[in-house]
Structure formats: structure tokens, C-alpha cells
Amino acid sequence: MKFNKIFSTQLISSIILKNLFCFTAVLSFFFSVNFAANANNIQINTVYLSDKNTTLDTQTVNFNLSWENSWRTTTGPSNWDAAWIFVKYRKNGGVWEHAKLKTGLNQTAPSGATIDIPSDAMGAFIYRSVPGSGNFSLNNVKLIWNYGLNSIADADVVEIKVFAVEMVYVPQGSFSLGNLINEANSFRDGSWVSGSTTPFQILSEAALTIGKQAGNLSWGDETVSSSLSASYPKGYSAFYCMKYEITQGQYRDFLNLLTRQQQVSRINTSITVSATSVTNRYVLCNSTAPRSNDRNGIKSPANFEANNPITFYCDLDVDDIPNESVDGEWIACNYLNWLDGLAYLDWSGLRPMTEMEFEKACRGNQNPVIGEYAWGSIVLTDGSSNIINPGANNETTSITGANAVYWDTTLSGPIRVGAFARGATTRQEAGATYYGIMEMSGNLVEQVVTVGNTMGQSYSSINGDGVLSATGSSNQTSWPTNTIGGGSRGGSSFSRNSHLRVSDRNSATTVYSPRYSSYGFRGVRKL
């Protein structure tokens, strides 16, 4: 598979509909406003509602969708990329909620596309129906909104926003955990004592035993035997993984749909619900300006109304003009702690990734390579200097062969997602995993559910339901809401090269409650 320049992850469009459920067929009665937050290459536009059915309580959400460098292949990884589409709505000026789509064989896909609606109706996967690659454009996509499930009355005034996140399909299949050498507590078969290790084979999602006996999963320093239930996601079953780490533009859009009380919990700067001004306006790095070593440009206005939600924006160049083309919304979003990441994934209908799924998403069904990074080789070239177009949607480096950002002393922070997939690049040159997922080695730490303790081991693959608590936290009780259940894989722009290796578990049981400039997040979704 060739990886042309692959860019960012999300764009939103909104439409305000007056008397939506009073005037079903006569669209001229609707007052609508469309806007698009800037994104690299995935676009949603021309959003409108039609075909209201008051008997079935359904309404069709119409839009155009396109993104660059899409693919579907029947060779090699035999997979595809997709857009995860979900809809948020609010009625009568209230809080934003998650729209439920119509399940079953009710969606009609445009020619050349497939639409999959999961059984929980949280959104839709849209992807190529036949093999191909390059730009992918779909006109007049139609998703049926089951508004009756959202308890909306016919007379309610409703505003909707349509979101798109680029995902990559990871097929079902067996794979290897660990490597042929002992890499910082890497996974191995429990028979290992010393010398070369034996990778552990994942052959199903069946329950398995952890311990120092042959045929058990081990990592060398576990003190007691334990087990993983059949519900713990081991990576064998198919799943979708976010193509990129959450970007600053994505996190900004997330913040802007929360209540004020929820926003207070999901930023680093201390802003009370009753406050009307703030000094440290860069709210994730908690500073008056982007810190030189973090490149985070998410910003608050200096003044705002008490109690009401704050409208955040990106301003990496510090000119106080919101969301310009060089304001960094395509840069991976750092300063996300464990609870921030869980909240974003729950709100999006996704879920956190396990460290076993991390290795599957990197290596696929290929044999381990000693010392390998996410792109399957030991070739590692730092791209933290000679940055071109800083903060823009085509930010990259002029360093030939650069495929990661790690232990940098020049850039001192994360780079734009997909920055190393330039032109017609190979997997190694793009820094892509076997399945085409970007920046799994370096840039920002991948926060994952650990296998290394009982808190992490109790996790099950429940997807988010789009609902957060009043204080902006995930409501998924089967997820490890305590940082003890989390771990770190893949390294960051502040990591030494050994920590970028696929099998390295140096920090597999470590995540932090404070927000650090090296920590990001990405999610997955079971089918």
C-alpha cells in the first residue's frame, strides 16, 4: 500500500432548523445556517434535513462527504479507511445530545460507498464499497435519524451538528504479542526464563491466563497469576481505530459542545462556572501563551459570560484571530489526561484501546521484527527540525526520510497528524502501521487500557454512549475511570527511541492524573 499525504481527522457542519418538526416537507420554511470548522481533508457540507415521517419518528440527515487519500485493498492488510459519522443535536436551545440513527437495512449509500450502522445506532461508518485509492467524494449522503429515540416532539426547534472522524479498519485475525528479545517487560509466553523470548500468540478472544507457565501470557515481572475474561478486547476480533491522534481542532470542537460545568473539568486552566474572565487563556497548557515546548494553541476569550459555555478557538500564532490557517488545529492535541481522553471517546461513541489492540494495530499479522517501530522496521529518522508551514494543514519537515518525532530538541512538541506521509510514500517513509494508522510510534503517548493490573484487566469492550456526566466525565462504568487502569505505549516527542518500539512496555501501567505535554489520545470502536 502506498501512503500519499494523509491529513487530519475531523470537520463539523451545523444547521439550525427553525420549526423543524412543524414543517416537514416544505423546506423553504426552514431557516438554516451552515458552517464548517477548518480541517485538512475530510469535509462535510450542504447539510440539511428532509423526508420527515411523523409515524416512524424519523428524519433524513443529508450532506456531502469527501476526504483525500482514501483506500480499500484486497491485498496485504486487506482493509480500508472509513469516516465515522455521528450527529449531535440540541432542542429549544438546550444542551447538546447524541442523535440516534435508524438501524437495519434502512440507509441508502451513494454509488461506490458502503454505510454500516452499528446496532447501538450511535453513528455510521462510511467507506469504499470496492477496491480503490485516492480522493473519495460522496454527494447526497443520507442517514436516517430516529428522532423518536431522542424524545423529540414535533414542535421542538432543533439544531444539529454532523461530525466526521477518520478511522481505519483492523480485520479479525490472529497475531503475535511481544518480540524475540526482552524489550522492557514486553509480552511473551509464560515459559520464558532467560535469553530469547517467545512471542505470545493471540488466536481468539477467549479468556486466557496470565502467569509464568507455558501457554500463559506473561511479561516477566507479574507477581501473581490472573486472567483476562472473554470480554477483554485482545485484538483478535475486528475493530476500527482512529487513523490519527485527537487533534487540537477536534478537542476544541468537543469543548464547544459541553456545558460550562463540563468544560471546567476538561481544561487545565482553572475557570470557575461563575467566572467572567481569565488570564491564562491557553487553557490546556494553562499559560498566557503557547509554551515553547508544547505547541498547544487552544485558547479562551479573555472575557465571557458567567455560567454560559465558553467558545474556545485555536490561536497558535498568538494574534487573537480565531482558527486561522496557521493556528495549529491539525497538530495532535497534547495535555490530555486519562479522564479527558475517556470523556472525548465516550462523547464520540468510541472507546479506549487496549495495549493488546495497540500491538495488533501496529504489527498486524506479520511476524515480529527485533526492535521494530510501528512501521515494521528499525529505521527511525527524527523529523523535529526544519519544519515547513508550521501550524498549517500541510505542516511537515524537509528532512529526507523523517518518519517520527521523538526526543526532539528543536520542535519541542507534537507535529501535525499525518505529517510524514508526503507524496507517494512507503509505509516506513510515512511512519504508518501495517494497517495504515499514523503516529503510533512517537509524536504523543498513546494512552491505553493496561493488561498489567486488575483495574485494567476488568475492562470490557463497551462503546461510548455519547453521554457525559454533569461534570464532563465518561459515564461508562466498565471502563477504568481510575488512572490505575491505564498505561502508556508508543512513546512521544519527549521519548528516547527505545520507548517508541511496538513491544516496549516500559510505561504499560503508567498514566498520570495531571496533564502533561507529551500525552495525547486516540480511540477505537468495536463493530
Side-chain angles (χ1 to χ4, degrees):
M1 184 191 306
K2 290 287 186 180
F3 292 93
N4 294 327
K5 53 184 180 181
I6 304 174
F7 293 133
S8 186
T9 49
Q10 173 178 299
L11 181 139
I12 61 171
S13 292
S14 79
I15 181 170
I16 300 173
L17 301 170
K18 301 294 186 181
N19 297 323
L20 166 62
F21 296 100
C22 295
F23 304 95
T24 304
V26 186
L27 295 180
S28 59
F29 280 88
F30 296 164
F31 170 74
S32 65
V33 175
N34 289 306
F35 76 92
N38 291 328
N40 285 350
N41 67 334
I42 190 163
Q43 298 184 34
I44 294 175
N45 54 49
T46 318
V47 179
Y48 66 95
L49 295 181
S50 65
D51 304 322
K52 177 186 166 188
N53 187 317
T54 56
T55 301
L56 298 177
D57 289 339
T58 61
Q59 187 92 8
T60 301
V61 181
N62 303 266
F63 54 91
N64 297 335
L65 169 68
S66 65
W67 71 95
E68 298 173 6
N69 305 299
S70 167
W71 79 85
R72 180 168 185 159
T73 178
T74 57
T75 60
S78 298
N79 75 328
W80 55 83
D81 70 341
W84 170 243
I85 306 294
F86 59 98
V87 180
K88 296 288 183 176
Y89 76 92
R90 64 178 176 183
K91 62 181 182 181
N92 304 322
V95 298
W96 289 97
E97 301 182 66
H98 202 99
K100 292 279 191 174
L101 301 181
K102 185 75 171 176
T103 58
L105 302 176
N106 299 290
Q107 310 291 341
T108 301
S111 176
T114 295
I115 296 177
D116 286 342
I117 307 292
S119 59
D120 62 5
M122 291 295 294
F125 286 109
I126 302 178
Y127 54 93
R128 290 176 180 269
S129 57
V130 295
S133 62
N135 297 346
F136 192 43
S137 298
L138 299 172
N139 293 325
N140 201 23
V141 180
K142 297 178 180 291
L143 297 179
I144 300 175
W145 176 20
N146 195 343
Y147 68 79
L149 294 179
N150 293 123
S151 301
I152 294 175
D154 289 352
D156 287 331
V157 177
V158 174
E159 181 181 353
I160 68 170
K161 294 181 184 287
V162 179
F163 289 76
V165 178
E166 288 180 72
M167 309 287 287
V168 173
Y169 179 69
V170 178
Q172 176 177 301
S174 58
F175 69 103
S176 300
L177 286 172
N179 214 312
L180 303 174
I181 59 173
N182 182 17
E183 288 182 330
N185 299 318
S186 58
F187 289 125
R188 76 282 307 259
D189 187 276
S191 60
W192 179 82
V193 177
S194 63
S196 298
T197 61
T198 302
F200 186 82
Q201 300 300 308
I202 297 295
L203 303 176
S204 73
E205 289 287 349
L208 57 83
T209 302
I210 296 171
K212 293 184 177 67
Q213 296 83 33
N216 292 348
L217 175 66
S218 174
W219 50 90
D221 69 347
E222 67 273 19
T223 56
V224 296
S225 295
S226 56
S227 63
L228 292 178
S229 71
S231 63
Y232 185 92
K234 303 169 189 66
Y236 178 84
S237 294
F239 61 95
Y240 277 94
C241 179
M242 286 177 64
K243 187 185 291 184
Y244 310 107
E245 292 156 331
I246 297 169
T247 66
Q248 294 177 31
Q250 283 182 301
Y251 199 73
R252 169 207 60 200
D253 296 338
F254 161 67
L255 289 174
N256 286 342
L257 263 69
L258 303 182
T259 67
R260 176 67 169 273
Q261 185 178 7
Q262 292 172 330
Q263 289 177 334
V264 167
S265 300
R266 299 280 69 88
I267 59 176
N268 203 7
T269 296
S270 178
I271 301 178
T272 64
V273 171
S274 60
T276 58
S277 63
V278 64
T279 300
N280 288 357
R281 297 173 60 189
Y282 285 85
V283 295
L284 286 189
C285 59
N286 188 25
S287 178
T288 57
R291 296 184 185 275
S292 60
N293 65 343
D294 65 27
R295 308 191 77 216
N296 194 296
I298 297 180
K299 190 176 187 178
S300 166
N303 301 287
F304 37 78
E305 296 182 0
N307 306 314
N308 289 340
I310 298 169
T311 300
F312 299 96
Y313 55 94
C314 292
D315 187 29
L316 187 65
D317 64 0
V318 201
D319 65 359
D320 217 22
I321 301 176
N323 305 320
E324 293 177 291
S325 61
V326 293
D327 276 334
E329 58 187 280
W330 307 278
I331 297 172
C333 189
N334 48 359
Y335 284 102
L336 299 184
N337 66 19
W338 181 249
L339 296 184
D340 294 332
L342 295 192
Y344 180 89
L345 298 183
D346 196 354
W347 176 85
S348 303
L350 305 175
R351 65 169 176 85
M353 171 171 55
T354 69
E355 54 173 325
M356 300 169 83
E357 290 174 314
F358 169 83
E359 292 200 25
K360 169 68 174 290
C362 290
R363 181 180 293 126
N365 59 9
Q366 305 298 289
N367 292 327
V369 173
I370 293 176
E372 70 183 321
Y373 302 106
W375 43 91
S377 80
I378 63 172
V379 177
L380 174 65
T381 303
D382 180 51
S384 63
S385 60
N386 293 27
I387 297 301
I388 302 170
N389 305 317
N393 66 354
N394 58 349
E395 176 180 278
T396 187
T397 178
S398 63
I399 297 177
T400 302
N403 56 7
V405 170
Y406 73 100
W407 199 243
D408 63 83
T409 58
T410 303
L411 185 64
S412 298
I415 199 169
R416 173 183 67 84
V417 297
F420 302 116
R422 299 163 291 178
T425 52
T426 65
R427 172 187 171 191
Q428 176 179 291
E429 292 166 341
T433 74
Y434 179 70
Y435 295 109
I437 302 164
M438 309 301 292
E439 288 90 46
M440 291 284 261
S441 289
N443 213 32
L444 291 177
V445 166
E446 305 294 339
Q447 298 186 65
V448 297
V449 179
T450 188
V451 177
N453 56 47
T454 55
M455 178 71 73
Q457 293 164 9
S458 65
Y459 174 60
S460 62
S461 57
I462 303 298
N463 295 316
D465 63 0
V467 179
L468 300 180
S469 71
T471 55
S473 295
S474 167
N475 65 351
Q476 297 302 315
T477 57
S478 66
W479 296 2
T481 54
N482 190 307
T483 56
I484 294 173
S488 305
R489 300 293 296 268
S492 75
S493 60
F494 295 95
S495 299
R496 295 189 181 276
N497 61 341
S498 61
H499 294 172
L500 274 65
R501 293 172 180 161
V502 173
S503 299
D504 184 275
R505 298 185 67 251
N506 180 71
S507 301
T509 58
T510 304
V511 292
Y512 299 100
S513 296
R515 295 176 174 89
Y516 286 103
S517 59
S518 59
Y519 275 65
F521 229 105
R522 85 172 79 212
V524 299
R525 196 178 209 282
K526 70 175 183 179
L527 305 186

